[in-house]
Amino acid sequence: MIGNTDLSARIAALGLVDPTDRQEEPERRPAAPLETLEGLKGGFLDNRKGNADVILEAIRSKLSDGYGMTDSLVRSKWVFSAPAAPEIIDELAECDFVVTAVGD
């Protein structure tokens, strides 16, 4: 029986690509659930696809009017398929929570 590392080395030596999903531990973990939104600042990240801004605005309004969120920060990614720019991530990191939406 060939171990995973041996198999990976053989595949690499042959110049092949291993298409299987690797079951690796995630680098990040989800944040703990919030008990309340009262007095919190929410971040909203728009990916610029159609209607993402509409969805996020509806959510932002609902959280502000019905759940006590007191401040918000709305940002948009430059291109929907690319990660958000580091400066946008830094700004959103100052929020208590972040909501993102995909439109279309």
Side-chain angles (χ1 to χ4, degrees), residues 23-62:
Q23 298 299 318
E24 298 173 3
E25 290 294 317
E27 293 180 24
R28 295 181 177 94
R29 58 179 169 67
L34 298 172
E35 301 218 1
T36 181
L37 299 183
E38 192 74 37
L40 298 185
K41 179 178 182 178
F44 298 86
L45 179 61
D46 176 358
N47 75 346
R48 292 195 185 226
K49 288 189 107 182
N51 294 320
D53 59 337
V54 175
I55 294 167
L56 285 172
E57 179 54 30
I59 293 169
R60 192 194 66 72
S61 292
K62 184 71 169 176

Side-chain angles (χ1 to χ4, degrees), residues 71-95:
D71 195 11
S72 62
L73 174 70
V74 179
R75 294 293 180 260
S76 297
K77 294 179 6 170
W78 182 248
V79 177
F80 70 87
S81 61
E87 57 271 12
I88 292 175
I89 299 296
D90 289 343
E91 286 181 294
L92 292 171
E94 299 297 318
C95 298

